[in-house]
Amino acid sequence: MGQRTQMLLKVHILDTESSKKETVYLNYHYQWGFGKVMPMAFLNLATHLAMTTKCEADSFQEATKYFPKIADTYCSVQNEGINLTNELPDDDDETKEYEFKNPHKAGFDNNNGWLCAELDVIFMYEHFYLRKGKVKFYRGIEEATKRFPLGSPMSIESWQSEFQEFCSKKWLTGYKNLLSSYNIDFPYTPNKKGETK
């Protein structure tokens, strides 16, 4: 029920001591998640990683298993005590990679689109540090048109335009500037006609 959005995260974690790397996939499905609910949840996570986030773990393997719990703290959304974030099936990494690349084929009920973010994170001295990342938005049922079907990419400018009641252009400028300061890019940009390229 309600407007639904979904955030898919692909997080590459590098251990500076051992040079080991692990990739963690995370999915968040939001009930009543239209407007800026989902992008603000991502901003919350990115900001805390940019500030460095402590993780008391005895090993890198333990730290990577604990990372989803840290992310849950910042990505989960509540309204008046009601949890708006639904748990999703724990699929294997191959399935999660496919869903990350093709979010509209994941089979989840989605009205208002997807946010897919890929992040590079360092684990050092019991802390996670954000290095860089990129964010892509994709059209949901209500944003889809004959020319731009369900699951097609859209710029954050197009996203903001769809939710002007909740996301002003001033908000958009601040959002992009802050995430850009964290070395997080937005690959999709609109051309003069407002189309995504």
Side-chain angles (χ1 to χ4, degrees):
M1 60 188 235
Q3 285 81 357
R4 292 165 287 273
T5 55
Q6 187 180 351
M7 179 165 66
L8 290 84
L9 306 178
K10 181 179 180 180
V11 185
H12 306 287
I13 305 175
L14 170 66
D15 181 28
T16 57
E17 184 175 346
S18 66
S19 296
K20 292 181 179 178
K21 295 181 181 179
E22 288 286 344
T23 299
V24 176
Y25 295 88
L26 300 167
N27 292 339
Y28 297 93
H29 192 262
Y30 300 105
Q31 292 283 349
W32 300 106
F34 58 101
K36 59 186 177 184
V37 170
M38 182 173 60
M40 289 302 289
F42 173 72
L43 177 65
N44 194 29
L45 173 64
T47 298
H48 281 87
L49 289 175
M51 294 169 60
T52 73
T53 303
K54 187 171 178 61
C55 174
E56 296 181 358
D58 294 329
S59 66
F60 175 60
Q61 185 178 16
E62 184 180 327
T64 58
K65 290 182 178 179
Y66 191 72
F67 183 85
K69 295 181 180 179
I70 293 175
D72 289 351
T73 302
Y74 304 121
C75 294
S76 296
V77 176
Q78 291 190 348
N79 183 27
E80 297 181 356
I82 300 174
N83 185 20
L84 303 182
T85 312
N86 292 341
E87 292 186 9
L88 297 173
D90 188 17
D91 295 318
D92 58 75
D93 284 354
E94 184 177 351
T95 301
K96 291 177 180 178
E97 175 67 14
Y98 176 79
E99 292 173 351
F100 184 81
K101 293 180 178 179
N102 307 276
H104 63 294
K105 295 184 179 180
F108 300 115
D109 192 9
N110 191 311
N111 289 43
N112 294 110
W114 294 264
L115 182 158
C116 296
E118 190 166 3
L119 302 175
D120 286 351
V121 172
I122 293 175
F123 181 67
M124 180 172 59
Y125 303 124
E126 296 185 340
H127 287 78
F128 291 111
Y129 298 83
L130 176 65
R131 290 185 63 196
K132 62 180 180 178
K134 55 186 176 183
V135 179
K136 298 178 180 180
F137 288 85
Y138 297 87
R139 297 173 188 274
I141 295 171
E142 296 184 13
E143 293 77 47
T145 65
K146 187 174 182 180
R147 185 173 185 181
F148 300 109
L150 176 71
S152 60
M154 63 191 305
S155 65
I156 189 173
E157 288 82 4
S158 297
W159 177 277
Q160 179 272 328
S161 180
E162 291 286 338
F163 300 103
Q164 294 182 48
E165 182 181 353
F166 308 99
C167 313
S168 66
K169 288 188 176 181
K170 185 176 182 180
W171 172 88
L172 173 63
T173 300
Y175 188 84
K176 286 191 68 175
N177 286 344
L178 183 56
L179 286 177
S180 294
S181 74
Y182 300 154
N183 293 319
I184 295 177
D185 299 324
F186 297 85
Y188 298 136
T189 57
N191 59 23
K192 292 181 180 180
K193 294 181 181 179
E195 301 165 345
T196 298
K197 60 179 181 178

